[in-house]
Amino acid sequence: MPQPNAKRQKTNPTYTLLYHGGIPGRGEHIRLAFEAAGVPYSDAGNTSSASDEVYAACASDCTGQDGNPPCFSPPMLKVTGGGGVRGTRPLLLSQTSNILLYLGPVLGLCGADEAERFYVNGLALTALDLNNETHDTHHPVATGQYYEDQKEEALRKTIDFRENRIPKFFGYFERVLTGNKAGAGKYLVGEKLTYADTTLWQVVDG
Amino acid sequence: MPQPNAKRQKTNPTYTLLYHGGIPGRGEHIRLAFEAAGVPYSDAGNTSSASDEVYAACASDCTGQDGNPPCFSPPMLKVTGGGGVRGTRPLLLSQTSNILLYLGPVLGLCGADEAERFYVNGLALTALDLNNETHDTHHPVATGQYYEDQKEEALRKTIDFRENRIPKFFGYFERVLTGNKAGAGKYLVGEKLTYADTTLWQVVDG
């Protein structure tokens, strides 16, 4: 068995996704970006100590960890090692689009230049808005209450969502694809895959 | 009267906010960042041709302008001149947090280093989530329908929002302030004002 390379371990960052185990949810957008790029990461949702670490970072008495601000809710990304502005202290980020923004250059999924990086971020945010609206159709009155207790409202909201919101979002992304000649109908920005594509794919097909 | 300096006009970018006139809405987050930094910008909402330009960028047949992707909805920011990756072509960005992300370094409102830039973006996103949830209390069933047609559901949602969501968000931002010793209870990230502060202020007090 080869010995671990101590130097490499010190300089290469390791990535840990902190998210609930057993459900795709918003964590899936992060997983998909890693998988598309073929970059290794740890998924705390697959380990037994997962929930402890996930909940600790969002606990109602947490004022931050290792000099990072506390997190509002999962998913979170922990980046350990690799130097950078935080030296040896881990970087802990939350908010799905913020994590994708950080990972974009690391994974080569953020377009070819600065303008494309902002287009990709804007389109990923719009795909995540669609994701939110989809989720809300089942919880129109209260996120913390069961679907069974708001079924009638959910039906009304779902009709509006299907008749007005889905066509608006789908029409928009169709126009983005049409306008991006370089993508030949396959990519939202530029001529190769970005996390705007993976995020939209997960929302629509996932 | 001094003659305009042609060279300066060519190399200094100009910023135009494209948003509906007459209402604060999400455009206000952008206005507030400009005002806090004392950087001049044009507000299309204040001109008579405003709505034309705002609606053109989001029109249901628009596939993009000047090589930028189409926009889903206002606010939008148009950056003209100043060179950069787009040369003389204007950059057109949408999504509130994406516009603030772009303006952060321009306005000196994004913290002191790379880590803080991501903290600021994450906190602004969380403040905008609170903004969305506040808006949704009045339109729980359908965003496009009147409050009067969903009054009963709005009441139920507002109770949940007041009892569960507001304490969760406020408790969170309190913990961020407490954990950021450098900010002395005044700033969310680091030791000076960022657009996380201006955005949260607008959501809570605006």
Side-chain angles (χ1 to χ4, degrees):
Chain A
M1 210 171 166
Q3 289 296 305
N5 180 330
K7 183 147 184 287
R8 187 149 189 271
Q9 282 191 326
K10 243 188 247 169
T11 53
N12 271 14
T14 60
Y15 304 100
T16 308
L17 171 67
L18 296 172
Y19 197 67
H20 313 295
I23 57 162
R26 289 202 149 216
E28 200 73 359
H29 298 293
I30 315 296
R31 294 188 189 107
L32 196 56
F34 275 116
E35 300 291 344
V39 169
Y41 68 106
S42 303
D43 194 335
N46 295 331
T47 67
S48 55
S49 63
S51 39
D52 291 351
E53 197 168 359
V54 173
Y55 288 109
C58 305
S60 61
D61 60 353
C62 174
T63 56
Q65 293 180 341
D66 303 311
N68 297 285
C71 298
F72 186 74
S73 64
M76 296 158 289
L77 179 76
K78 190 163 76 173
V79 186
T80 315
V85 291
R86 306 216 83 232
T88 55
R89 291 186 304 167
L91 176 70
L92 187 65
L93 298 178
S94 60
Q95 282 280 1
T96 309
S97 74
N98 194 38
I99 294 171
L100 290 169
L101 183 76
Y102 178 87
L103 288 175
V106 171
L107 304 180
L109 291 174
C110 60
D113 59 28
E114 199 199 349
E116 290 194 3
R117 202 148 63 237
F118 285 100
Y119 301 153
V120 169
N121 184 48
L123 289 163
L125 284 160
T126 307
L128 290 169
D129 283 347
L130 172 57
N131 196 61
N132 269 1
E133 292 198 22
T134 309
H135 172 268
D136 287 354
T137 55
H138 284 70
H139 304 272
V141 175
T143 326
Q145 287 172 22
Y146 290 111
Y147 164 61
E148 281 68 24
D149 297 329
Q150 40 195 311
K151 228 168 167 172
E152 197 197 313
E153 295 84 0
L155 179 63
R156 279 174 61 201
K157 194 176 178 82
T158 303
I159 292 170
D160 174 69
F161 179 66
R162 201 181 54 209
E163 289 180 359
N164 298 307
R165 303 301 289 169
I166 289 185
K168 186 172 157 82
F169 275 103
F170 279 33
Y172 171 69
F173 286 115
E174 284 286 346
R175 285 184 283 118
V176 175
L177 283 171
T178 305
N180 178 34
K181 301 293 176 210
K186 282 177 69 183
Y187 305 118
L188 290 165
V189 177
E191 57 187 27
K192 57 187 206 109
L193 190 77
T194 68
Y195 69 78
D197 299 306
T198 57
T199 303
L200 180 61
W201 184 87
Q202 175 60 22
V203 174
V204 173
D205 279 356
Chain B
M1 208 172 164
Q3 288 297 306
N5 180 330
K7 184 146 185 285
R8 190 152 186 270
Q9 283 191 324
K10 243 189 246 169
T11 53
N12 269 15
T14 60
Y15 304 101
T16 309
L17 171 66
L18 296 172
Y19 197 66
H20 312 294
I23 57 162
R26 290 202 148 215
E28 199 74 358
H29 298 292
I30 315 297
R31 294 187 188 106
L32 197 56
F34 275 115
E35 301 291 344
V39 169
Y41 67 106
S42 304
D43 194 334
N46 295 331
T47 67
S48 56
S49 62
S51 40
D52 291 352
E53 197 168 359
V54 173
Y55 287 108
C58 306
S60 62
D61 59 354
C62 174
T63 56
Q65 293 180 341
D66 303 310
N68 297 284
C71 297
F72 186 74
S73 63
M76 296 157 289
L77 179 76
K78 191 163 75 172
V79 186
T80 315
V85 290
R86 305 215 83 234
T88 55
R89 291 185 304 167
L91 176 69
L92 186 66
L93 297 178
S94 60
Q95 282 281 359
T96 309
S97 74
N98 194 37
I99 294 171
L100 290 169
L101 183 76
Y102 178 87
L103 288 175
V106 171
L107 305 179
L109 291 174
C110 60
D113 59 28
E114 199 200 347
E116 290 194 3
R117 200 147 64 237
F118 284 101
Y119 301 153
V120 169
N121 184 48
L123 289 163
L125 284 160
T126 307
L128 290 169
D129 283 347
L130 172 57
N131 196 63
N132 268 1
E133 291 198 22
T134 309
H135 171 269
D136 287 353
T137 56
H138 285 69
H139 304 271
V141 176
T143 326
Q145 289 173 21
Y146 290 111
Y147 165 61
E148 280 68 23
D149 297 329
Q150 40 194 311
K151 229 169 167 173
E152 197 198 312
E153 295 83 0
L155 179 63
R156 280 174 60 200
K157 194 177 178 82
T158 302
I159 292 170
D160 174 69
F161 179 66
R162 200 180 59 209
E163 289 180 359
N164 298 307
R165 304 301 288 170
I166 289 184
K168 186 172 158 84
F169 276 102
F170 278 32
Y172 171 68
F173 286 114
E174 283 287 346
R175 286 185 283 119
V176 175
L177 283 171
T178 305
N180 177 34
K181 300 296 176 208
K186 282 177 69 183
Y187 305 118
L188 291 165
V189 176
E191 56 188 27
K192 59 186 204 110
L193 189 77
T194 68
Y195 70 77
D197 300 306
T198 56
T199 303
L200 180 61
W201 183 88
Q202 175 60 23
V203 173
V204 173
D205 279 356

